[in-house]
Amino acid sequence: MSNKRVYLFAEGNASMKDLLGGKGANLAEMSNIGLPVPPGFTITTEVCNEYYADGATMPPGLMDEVRAALATVEKDLRKGLGDPKNPLLVSVRSGAKFSMPGMMDTILNLGLNPQTIEGLIAQSGNERFVYDANRRFIMMFSDVVLGVDKHKFEVIFDNHKKQKGYKQDGDLTAEDLKRICAEFLALVQVETGQGFPADPWRQLELAIEAVFRSWHNDRAIVYRRQERIADDIGTAVNVQAMVFGNLGDDCGTGVAFTRDPSTGEDELYGEFLMNAQGEDVVAGVRTPIAISELKEQNPGIYDEFHAIGRRLEEHYKDMMDLEFTIERNRLFMLQCRVGKRTGPAAVRIAVEMVEQGLITKEEAIQRVTASHLDQLLHPRIDETYVADRQISALAKGLAASPGAAVGKAVFDSETAEKLGESGEKVVLVRDETNPDDVGGMLASQGILTARGGKTSHAAVVARGFGIPCVAGCEALEVDLHERCFRVGPVTVREGDWISIDGSTGEVYNVQLALIAPDIGGQFGTLMSWCDEYRRLRVRTNADNPRDAQQAIDFGCEGIGLCRTEHMFFEDDRLPIVQEMILTKSEAMREAALKKLLAVQQSDFEAIFEVMDGRPVTVRLIDPPLHEFLPSYDELLREVTELRMAVATLGGEALKHLLDEKERMMKTVESMREANPMLGLRGVRLSIVFPGIVVMQTRAILQAAATLIKHGKRVLPEIMIPLVAHVNELRTVQGQLEEVARQIVAEQGVDIPYLFGTMIEIPRAALTAEQIAESAQFFSFGTNDLTQTTFGFSRDDAEGKFLHRYVEQKILPVNPFETIDIDGVGQLMRIAVEEGKSANPTLKCGICGEHGGDPESIYFCHDLGLDYVSCSPFRVPIARLASAQAALRGKVAVSVDK
Amino acid sequence: MSNKRVYLFAEGNASMKDLLGGKGANLAEMSNIGLPVPPGFTITTEVCNEYYADGATMPPGLMDEVRAALATVEKDLRKGLGDPKNPLLVSVRSGAKFSMPGMMDTILNLGLNPQTIEGLIAQSGNERFVYDANRRFIMMFSDVVLGVDKHKFEVIFDNHKKQKGYKQDGDLTAEDLKRICAEFLALVQVETGQGFPADPWRQLELAIEAVFRSWHNDRAIVYRRQERIADDIGTAVNVQAMVFGNLGDDCGTGVAFTRDPSTGEDELYGEFLMNAQGEDVVAGVRTPIAISELKEQNPGIYDEFHAIGRRLEEHYKDMMDLEFTIERNRLFMLQCRVGKRTGPAAVRIAVEMVEQGLITKEEAIQRVTASHLDQLLHPRIDETYVADRQISALAKGLAASPGAAVGKAVFDSETAEKLGESGEKVVLVRDETNPDDVGGMLASQGILTARGGKTSHAAVVARGFGIPCVAGCEALEVDLHERCFRVGPVTVREGDWISIDGSTGEVYNVQLALIAPDIGGQFGTLMSWCDEYRRLRVRTNADNPRDAQQAIDFGCEGIGLCRTEHMFFEDDRLPIVQEMILTKSEAMREAALKKLLAVQQSDFEAIFEVMDGRPVTVRLIDPPLHEFLPSYDELLREVTELRMAVATLGGEALKHLLDEKERMMKTVESMREANPMLGLRGVRLSIVFPGIVVMQTRAILQAAATLIKHGKRVLPEIMIPLVAHVNELRTVQGQLEEVARQIVAEQGVDIPYLFGTMIEIPRAALTAEQIAESAQFFSFGTNDLTQTTFGFSRDDAEGKFLHRYVEQKILPVNPFETIDIDGVGQLMRIAVEEGKSANPTLKCGICGEHGGDPESIYFCHDLGLDYVSCSPFRVPIARLASAQAALRGKVAVSVDK
């Protein structure tokens, strides 16, 4: 800890955010580059921690330092705190390193008391203004410092207006306000048992302490948890001479961005009010005026402000968010910070600032975040529309697949398909989806489910197809019988309009306006810059030509994960798959496999065609076979009912049906598993049922051969899932190479292909040295690797305890969203190091969902992976994050949170 | 590879088993210490590999070396192979490094042809003997070398006897045998299209090749897989001059052990027959005579043999298994090897040999294996009884809890309890057991289930209570309705006697005789020697005073795992536990927890009392809560039936019941998990329901306080299961220490206790450095650690693919039985190293089932763990294996497999 507790604005600068907070550091910076900032000083964030370390008591000696600093301000302005002749008023504001808007407390006009009121009236010649300032001060101070409920003051104020028949605050006279102040002071006496502190120094000390206290108020704590801000960074306290926008018509106040934060357009964007204090702009008592009007009303001030905006942009090299006050036709800057912006604005500003020579391409890349791009890539809800109409969400589920969708609620897939085909916009609402629903999902604008997590069928399929999805919205009661869903007292019927936001999880029972994605020229420019800097290659997870094409449009360089079993779920294949599983006859199984061979081969041909020589990693069958069979619960219900029916009614037809269902139930039961995630799936299936490997390998390589014969380029990479021991890989490799030799002989062409494995089981990572001897590539399946490394079943954890772990900070983040570097990351590091030492040409990539998460991509870059693979709509984000990863450490960036 | 392919017996010794095989090395050894061994030589095991490496062809030049070696034998005996005057006959026998009894082929009397027959008749003066030898030779050679079915020769032989009206082989005259030989040769001509080879050298070459070929016959392959013998060690071939026990009444042959292999008693044990060849002793055509009779019949030979036995014991320092032949009153040794023995014999022999000064205590410890002790500790099936009556098993399941049990089959727990209490011996037969069955299980001699693996409820509970159990016996069809079970055509009804062997998995539908365990003085002596040498401490897994006492009797030094939830399953507690889970009222939950507190506290008091100051590691609640609730399937069936009944019959009572069941079903459904093994259990439960930790900590520490106040010693160690992140541990630690402070204050005594965690999740091992800062001990839960490291659900894997993995050698052993050193072991090593580096006083142990597996214990010793913990009945095995681990490397041991 440094010894200096208090910094005059002249002593600080923008780089001192840790110590002075964001507001304090920027006030200092503006002061020092010569902008008109009312003088003041900042008490450091370390003092806040000191305050709490001492059991919430004011550090001894602090007020001496405050006094010394204020003396400089007083001297500067030739005013004095509490000086009855020439009174100085100050504001006391919190300001942490990261902006926490509205979370902590502020006190304005501090320094008023009976003596200084008189002095100020004499000096300003405006009695009404002084009493107005005083009533604001008493209320804020009493609320924040003395703990008197603000509402009680408002009652007095409103009663007074009513009594006098006033409509507006402005109608109150000086006399009225004086009276109100008197009543306020009486209220304080009654509520606190003592008088309002009249000594401005006492006022100041209490206000400073109140700011420290506000660091730990409930809403600040909740906000920090939400925004992942540490509790121990503390807040600074800014004490600054007051300037007044409400001294008369040559005064005013406003807020503005140097560029449009919504579109990024390069012109001042903001609002102001003449003869008003800052809080009036925010409170909406009077309607603020667009900043462009200021040019008409006061071109001098406008030009000065415009020039300051330019100057600050050049200085900070970013779009800025500014607060200003005009006091008697003099402009004062009260705040500046890097401005928040929408995704489209972020991209436009970054690209235009490069063109304007303000920043470099490297800096531009660092200015855009994943969520900025995500907004850009999907339709999004028009927030102005929602705000204007004060629409609130009906319910909130999991943000399972990004983007917003609007459509009529439908409750089954057939209806979705029927209406969808006739051009209607529909949103499919289900308890949960299953493979039968895929047709209906594709025909829908969006998908909403009451159950299931981010890896539920609905979520996975929706992300795959880029369809917005809100999953696991537990407040929903879906009533298929009545064809409606209920949320508390609200009922939404089939055909009613709903809107969902798959980026936030929000569900609305109205038809909202959407803003279409705009992947314009600036987006392309930014992406091309990213490609210049990134080292990681970017692939996509795609199981069909449509997704593959989408990903290519977004710039992918190959397929990192093509899941073959999704092909099995389609309507025309499922019966064949079931036949293959259920038959006890080898011949029937062979026949079923032969049918599947034909369809899989044509699937692969179509994908290879689209990918045009780019590598395509095909994962052999992975899920447990019972996923392809009817649900056991359903069968048990049916069998129980049939048994009762047969017992009471008899009848040959029923008996026959019962027999059939019982047989099916027995089969499904024999395949049931206690923990299917850790059961007979992945490479284990390929070992127990070698026929499937043979069929899939044949389908891949025959498809490749067909394309090669047509002069096309192909590069299949065959990937074995869930390997735990090198011998599993070797066993499958033997089968596979045998098939490959046969096909090369049959087809008479050489087929280039790679053979590799997923690393998604801890043991595979730990024994990577052995495994790398049999593999040409590793692809980290970080979903399963996270499940096994933590011993978390994602399906169970996310619903049952993971949210609590994150809330209670037991885990810093959800490890299914961002790679857990200490655990999962350590296994990845072991695997890469040992794998590459055993096999220096080993290619390493990642195909878990983390492949589209920026933090995880940074880690993958540092680890030296060759590529990341993610869903098509994350490809641009992965290109961006890969470039950012390559630039990290090279470029110093200051990003305001 | 050495260049020398053929070793005369004079050139070899006992240490050359790799090269000469067990039989060859021991024949050489016996020759060289001057024992009467017919001369011969050995073709090395490397030649066998050479044979296969060349595509199964005889290595060029081999027969030249054979000729040279045989020349020495011929010279020695003054006989010649094929010499019509003085013919030498030889045996050709296989002999690998490890004994593979009956698996490979042998040919006797090789060298006979029309010329040598005449010579041998002239020399021996016994025409009958010669033709008898010849018919044996033709049959063996034709069977083994020429591939003519042995059965066809037997038909000729038997027909001849029948035709002549003979009862016994001995009734056949020389003329008969000559005739039979002629018919045999005709048969060979017909079957092979060519004559029987008359050239003895050709005979020898073909016989040697046949032995090589027999290395890869089906039964040898199966045997090697079963016994885990490598395929590439090859067999040697022993060629040895024949001696004859069937030349007359001054001849004979026999087999004997130098001590009783069944009891270990120090006296010759074996059988012989006069005027017979070795195969007659084995074949059971004549009843052999006990070796003690030889003393009467031929004291000279007996004394010589007895002295040889002593000599060999002194030489080999072990109990030996011998074969001998008496030819014309001269004793010849044909084989010696270390004798196999039962568990009781192994212990007795080891201890007595130390007392006799033959071996050291260190060697004695190495002579006894885990399975020897296991036999000793449980009742076992009397194998003589089974063999004498030629009883075969009805079915085979998993060997789930060792020991044998005999009783009447019963099909439900009430019946088991009722009959059990009235003194009947019963075996409980169920599809699978559940917590309601515990009473019935305790009342039974053994448990037999049709479903479930080695970690099923039945298996776990049975092992805990030391009750024999065969689980997952899938051939069983249990018919509760008819109160019987079926295995194919066999039906076993309630009350029928059955026997089960929990050490082998065998099930018999008869009442077998059992041999009671005998834990006599020699067992105690051996154990005390083990204790002198071992460094590892041995604890037990025990959840109740009975098991704890049992383990103390077996020498345990503490409890390494006391599972608190088993206490919850008991009849009087389950309803309280269900109430705690199901209630939505905090007050009701508190009340339920209070009731559980009282019962848990008294449980702990009883256990602490028995353990008398030894450390007791108590694991806080671990399993998912739905394990305490009714089965969802059962509820679904009931609800479906009730719905139909209500729909057709109506009725308020039914409706009410339906409501109730539906509510319960909904609750159970809401707690259902996709992968319960990776779901809401372990420390996660303690975080989501902190009341349980508080209750359990209170129960443990209050129990401790109560004992301390009574002047008793206690040392509880509180253990948190399933930790993946140090923050989980810290969270629980905070709650727990708060409770501890309260109790110390309330009770006014200091309570010593340790706080630690299980390491059973890969992430915990990987981040051990962090975790060790909050833990005073680590206990490796290698069951779960193996599950997560491999991504194997044990319940699913063992039934569905693990057996195949072991059969196909994808995995060398079942990793749930023996620690996988490369994967799981690597995590353990990381955890111990990092844990101890962060916290040098960290205590490390293991409480997974591997804690009772010798190979795993060796690993734990090498890893530097402080203790192993295992079920009570494995405690002696753990003491033994710990001592063996400490001695490994220090003492060179040769153990015959």
Side-chain angles (χ1 to χ4, degrees), chain A residues 451 632-633 636-637 640-641 644 669-680 684 687-688 724-725 727-728 731 761-763 766-767 770 788-793 795-796 800-801 804-805 808-811 820 822-823 826-827, chain B residues 451 632-633 636-637 640-641 644 669-680 684 687-688 724-725 727-728 731 761-763 766-767 770 788-793 795-796 800-801 804-805 808-811 820 822-823 826-827:
Chain A
R451 274 187 270 152
Y632 179 80
D633 290 358
L636 175 58
R637 192 187 50 70
T640 308
E641 286 173 356
M644 283 188 80
E669 185 176 20
S670 75
M671 304 183 79
R672 259 179 134 186
E673 294 184 301
N675 300 287
M677 197 248 135
L678 306 179
L680 181 56
R684 303 161 197 173
I687 287 170
V688 176
H725 194 291
N727 287 345
E728 295 176 306
T731 304
I761 296 290
R763 197 181 185 287
L766 291 164
T767 60
Q770 296 164 19
T788 45
T789 304
F790 275 87
F792 286 173
S793 162
D795 285 342
D796 304 311
K800 294 209 158 66
F801 59 87
R804 197 184 284 243
Y805 270 40
Q808 293 187 16
K809 296 194 194 168
I810 291 170
L811 294 178
D820 156 57
D822 284 358
Q826 193 179 338
L827 285 176
Chain B
R451 275 187 269 151
Y632 180 80
D633 290 358
L636 176 58
R637 192 187 51 70
T640 308
E641 286 173 356
M644 283 189 80
E669 186 175 19
S670 75
M671 302 183 80
R672 258 180 134 186
E673 293 184 302
N675 300 286
M677 198 249 134
L678 306 179
L680 181 56
R684 303 161 198 173
I687 288 170
V688 176
H725 194 290
N727 287 345
E728 295 175 305
T731 304
I761 296 289
R763 197 181 185 286
L766 292 164
T767 60
Q770 296 164 19
T788 46
T789 304
F790 274 88
F792 286 173
S793 162
D795 285 343
D796 303 311
K800 293 210 158 67
F801 59 87
R804 197 183 285 242
Y805 270 40
Q808 293 187 15
K809 297 192 194 169
I810 291 170
L811 293 177
D820 156 56
D822 284 358
Q826 193 178 337
L827 286 176

Side-chain angles (χ1 to χ4, degrees), chain A residues 574-584 588-589 591-592 595 629:
Chain A
L574 199 56
I576 315 176
V577 177
Q578 293 183 340
E579 195 180 307
M580 175 193 79
I581 298 169
L582 296 174
T583 183
K584 286 195 170 111
M588 297 267 285
R589 178 165 299 127
K595 282 189 226 164
L629 300 179

Side-chain angles (χ1 to χ4, degrees), chain B residues 214-516:
Chain B
S214 71
W215 178 250
H216 268 161
N217 73 28
D218 291 345
R219 59 182 199 276
I221 290 171
V222 168
Y223 183 87
R224 285 198 295 273
R225 184 159 303 157
Q226 226 164 45
E227 299 290 311
R228 293 182 192 163
I229 296 172
D231 279 337
D232 63 357
I233 59 168
T235 182
V237 184
N238 298 293
V239 179
Q240 189 176 23
M242 288 294 302
V243 286
F244 298 100
N246 54 347
L247 270 173
D249 290 339
D250 55 352
C251 303
T253 189
V255 294
F257 293 85
T258 54
R259 304 187 185 213
D260 186 332
S262 170
T263 65
E265 193 184 354
D266 185 11
E267 63 176 17
L268 275 179
Y269 176 96
E271 298 170 324
F272 74 103
L273 272 177
M274 293 312 283
N275 199 8
Q277 270 206 329
E279 52 177 345
D280 300 329
V281 181
V282 185
V285 181
R286 284 156 59 197
T287 307
I289 300 157
I291 197 86
S292 53
E293 285 292 304
L294 186 60
K295 199 169 185 174
E296 315 290 319
Q297 291 190 16
N298 195 334
I301 290 287
Y302 179 84
D303 288 346
E304 187 185 355
F305 182 66
H306 188 269
I308 287 175
R310 274 289 119 168
R311 174 98 192 270
L312 283 170
E313 272 205 351
E314 278 162 25
H315 188 74
Y316 281 93
K317 298 181 184 303
D318 208 339
M319 184 270 270
M320 304 303 288
D321 173 356
L322 310 174
E323 290 180 21
F324 63 94
T325 285
I326 308 164
E327 185 184 76
R328 300 207 193 280
N329 234 354
R330 253 184 87 191
L331 180 65
F332 290 95
M333 297 303 296
L334 292 184
Q335 161 115 307
C336 89
R337 59 186 171 196
V338 171
K340 301 210 172 180
R341 64 206 73 181
T342 64
V347 171
R348 177 165 177 178
I349 291 169
V351 171
E352 288 187 351
M353 282 194 165
V354 173
E355 288 163 358
Q356 292 161 354
L358 271 172
I359 59 174
T360 63
K361 290 192 275 185
E362 289 94 324
E363 286 168 326
I365 289 168
Q366 302 278 26
R367 288 287 163 78
V368 178
T369 67
S371 62
H372 285 147
L373 282 197
D374 213 21
Q375 280 178 39
L376 208 73
L377 297 170
H378 297 280
R380 59 191 202 280
I381 288 173
D382 183 345
E383 279 166 32
T384 325
Y385 185 94
V386 173
D388 287 355
R389 286 162 187 76
Q390 301 196 311
I391 295 168
S392 60
L394 175 67
K396 190 162 180 183
L398 299 170
S401 177
V406 175
K408 292 177 175 172
V410 294
F411 294 93
D412 65 62
S413 282
E414 287 100 280
T415 312
E417 286 188 72
K418 210 178 60 197
L419 293 181
E421 274 162 24
S422 70
E424 291 260 34
K425 297 199 163 177
V426 298
V427 172
L428 180 62
V429 184
R430 304 278 291 162
D431 249 351
E432 47 196 335
T433 62
N434 63 48
D436 292 341
D437 289 325
V438 172
M441 293 167 82
L442 278 170
S444 302
Q445 302 295 307
I447 296 146
L448 170 60
T449 67
R451 275 187 269 151
K454 286 188 174 179
T455 46
S456 62
H457 178 263
V460 170
V461 173
R463 281 197 297 276
F465 290 121
I467 301 169
C469 173
V470 172
C473 185
E474 300 200 345
L476 250 65
E477 251 186 273
V478 178
D479 186 337
L480 261 181
H481 194 67
E482 299 279 333
R483 304 201 77 74
C484 68
F485 71 79
R486 296 186 198 87
V487 177
V490 178
T491 300
V492 175
R493 306 199 167 275
E494 192 149 70
D496 289 354
W497 284 92
I498 60 173
S499 305
I500 62 169
D501 187 341
S503 309
T504 64
E506 276 159 350
V507 177
Y508 300 84
N509 54 335
V510 291
Q511 180 183 12
L512 293 183
L514 295 189
I515 297 174

Side-chain angles (χ1 to χ4, degrees), chain A residues 40-85:
Chain A
F41 57 86
T42 305
I43 304 170
T44 69
T45 55
E46 288 174 351
V47 181
C48 178
N49 288 334
E50 209 181 337
Y51 173 83
Y52 283 107
D54 287 357
T57 56
M58 287 289 273
L62 172 64
M63 287 309 292
D64 297 335
E65 293 179 52
V66 167
R67 244 171 243 277
L70 198 66
T72 310
V73 175
E74 288 173 320
K75 196 171 151 205
D76 193 11
L77 295 176
R78 298 169 195 211
K79 295 182 178 175
L81 187 70
D83 182 338
K85 295 245 172 62

Side-chain angles (χ1 to χ4, degrees), chain A residues 128-198:
Chain A
R128 188 192 178 283
F129 151 72
V130 176
Y131 284 110
D132 189 42
N134 195 36
R135 65 100 186 166
R136 290 175 198 259
F137 169 57
I138 297 169
M139 183 164 123
M140 280 188 207
F141 189 94
S142 303
D143 174 38
V144 171
V145 179
L146 307 176
V148 182
D149 188 353
K150 195 161 60 175
H151 183 64
K152 292 182 174 156
F153 294 98
E154 284 164 354
V155 169
I156 293 175
F157 189 76
D158 291 343
N159 273 345
H160 203 93
K161 272 167 69 182
K162 212 159 142 195
Q163 214 177 314
K164 295 271 180 154
Y166 297 154
K167 287 243 136 171
Q168 306 231 332
D169 290 3
D171 298 337
L172 291 159
T173 63
E175 207 47 48
D176 292 326
L177 289 162
K178 190 172 174 182
R179 162 117 210 138
I180 287 171
C181 288
E183 287 182 32
F184 277 12
L185 292 174
L187 174 67
V188 170
Q189 176 70 46
V190 170
E191 291 284 321
T192 65
Q194 44 196 334
F196 189 91

Side-chain angles (χ1 to χ4, degrees), chain B residues 777-781 828 843-847 860 865-869:
Chain B
F777 64 88
F778 281 177
S779 179
F780 289 98
M828 292 173 72
K843 197 154 64 161
C844 294
I846 179 174
C847 64
C860 291
L865 294 197
D866 298 292
Y867 68 84
V868 297
S869 186

